[in-house]
Amino acid sequence: LLFTLPAGVWVDRLRRRPILILGDLGRAAALLSVPIAHWLGVLTIWQLYAVGFVAGICTVFFDVAYQSYLPALVGRQDVVEGNSKLELSRSTANIGGPGVAGVLVSALTAPVAVLVDALSFLLSALLLGRIRTPEATPPREERRPLRVELLEGLRYVVRQSYQRGMVACVALSNFFGNVVWSILLVYAVRELGLTAATIGLAIAVGNAGPLLAALTARRISARLGVGRTIVGASFLFGPGTLLIAAAPRDNALPFIVAAMVVMGFGGVLYNVTAISLIQAITPDRMLGRANASRRFIVWGVIPLGARVGRARG
């Protein structure tokens, strides 16, 4: 939250591919310091806090930059397909990543697992460096004070009717979704009697929903139209949580899995279509600030929802 809005301004001022590469290199360096400090016997909790903070800043710049870079890379006519493929890779990673991480930590110890994570960011930077699509540097003479450009991005998102409606939808979803997620595990164990292994299985199988949405988002939006797809998807990721509330204690697993599939499918279908629409209608000079402003709002409510959920749980 501290760096999201300024990140949008700098993403609009600079070429975006170098920001992506630097974001990866920054995360790699921060993570690499953990196993080194551990093997030297000087690792402290304060270093872990600092690593998390630095990695978070780099992630903010990376995420704002990649959503702003995609239209220039693939063309605005292909942003739906581009976002679908990005979500496909993300969903695949969400299915396999936690299991691989668990194996690495168990077999090789946590410091080695963090080292592998750092190397993965180096590989990402290398792959980004192989992109050869030309990218023009924004003119320096168009720059204005940071505060002016920052507020311009916020005003654009709030005043543009499509963006305003979609930001409000996602913010409400993130807020109440995190109310649910903050108490879901406790509810599943204490009220539904599920074990940790069963909950892990439900989440893993439920990731089939996002994967299916990433594979079909382009065809669905082409068949139904962008507007109908966005509205229809929004009726899935919210009401899908009602399946959790309806789950009977003696047969809860199918309900939990179904909820994960429905919510995941609706969320990814919505994200692919809505982000593609935003990328298509937003002027390139404003993309970084628009993406940052949207992220500032829809991610800013997440800790608030989690806090409310913990208080009620």
Side-chain angles (χ1 to χ4, degrees):
L1 288 179
L2 288 174
F3 291 90
T4 299
L5 294 177
V9 175
W10 285 105
V11 166
D12 282 341
R13 287 180 175 183
L14 304 171
R15 290 189 298 127
R16 287 149 186 173
R17 187 171 68 98
I19 295 176
L20 296 173
I21 295 173
L22 288 173
D24 274 340
L25 293 178
R27 288 182 286 191
L31 290 168
L32 190 59
S33 72
V34 174
I36 292 175
H38 171 77
W39 291 323
L40 292 176
V42 295
L43 181 64
T44 67
I45 187 64
W46 300 107
Q47 180 178 342
L48 295 179
Y49 286 147
V51 167
F53 188 72
V54 171
I57 294 172
C58 293
T59 298
V60 166
F61 275 87
F62 186 96
D63 286 357
V64 172
Y66 97 75
Q67 289 188 345
S68 306
Y69 182 49
L70 183 66
L73 183 63
V74 303
R76 291 179 184 255
Q77 71 279 4
D78 290 323
V79 288
V80 174
E81 182 177 0
N83 282 308
S84 295
K85 289 179 177 176
L86 288 172
E87 287 294 341
L88 179 62
S89 67
R90 189 199 311 274
S91 300
T92 303
N94 286 338
I95 293 174
V100 173
V103 171
L104 284 174
V105 172
S106 299
L108 302 177
T109 73
V112 177
V114 176
L115 173 62
V116 174
D117 195 16
L119 294 177
S120 74
F121 284 110
L122 289 176
L123 176 60
S124 175
L126 177 64
L127 294 174
L128 287 167
R130 292 174 60 84
I131 295 175
R132 294 292 179 259
T133 303
E135 184 183 7
T137 302
R140 293 182 62 90
E141 58 269 17
E142 293 183 3
R143 295 182 185 178
R144 287 161 294 163
L146 179 70
R147 177 175 173 274
V148 172
E149 293 191 24
L150 186 152
L151 291 176
E152 183 182 17
L154 274 174
R155 283 195 296 267
Y156 176 80
V157 169
V158 172
R159 293 176 180 176
Q160 214 275 341
S161 58
Y162 290 150
Q163 301 235 30
R164 183 173 63 244
M166 289 186 287
V167 165
C169 176
V170 177
L172 286 170
S173 172
N174 283 352
F175 178 84
F176 289 104
N178 278 273
V179 172
V180 172
W181 278 103
S182 65
I183 60 175
L184 175 59
L185 296 181
V186 176
Y187 176 74
V189 172
R190 294 181 180 175
E191 303 296 328
L192 301 179
L194 299 180
T195 65
T198 303
I199 295 171
L201 175 64
I203 294 174
V205 176
N207 277 322
L211 189 64
L212 180 61
L215 289 169
T216 59
R218 184 181 182 184
R219 289 196 293 272
I220 292 174
S221 62
R223 175 69 65 88
L224 300 180
V226 172
R228 291 189 182 94
T229 301
I230 292 173
V231 173
S234 68
F235 281 98
L236 294 176
F237 53 74
T241 57
L242 294 175
L243 290 167
I244 299 173
R249 181 179 175 84
D250 57 348
N251 192 31
L253 183 59
F255 285 79
I256 302 297
V257 170
M260 298 295 178
V261 171
V262 172
M263 290 187 294
F265 182 88
V268 169
L269 179 60
Y270 184 96
N271 285 340
V272 168
T273 312
I275 290 174
S276 299
L277 174 61
I278 289 171
Q279 290 170 332
I281 65 175
T282 303
D284 185 71
R285 67 174 187 84
M286 185 71 70
L287 260 176
R289 284 168 288 168
N291 288 328
S293 298
R294 185 178 69 254
R295 180 188 175 99
F296 178 78
I297 297 171
V298 303
W299 284 52
V301 301
I302 287 177
L304 300 178
R307 183 175 180 84
V308 169
R310 287 195 298 270
R312 297 300 179 185

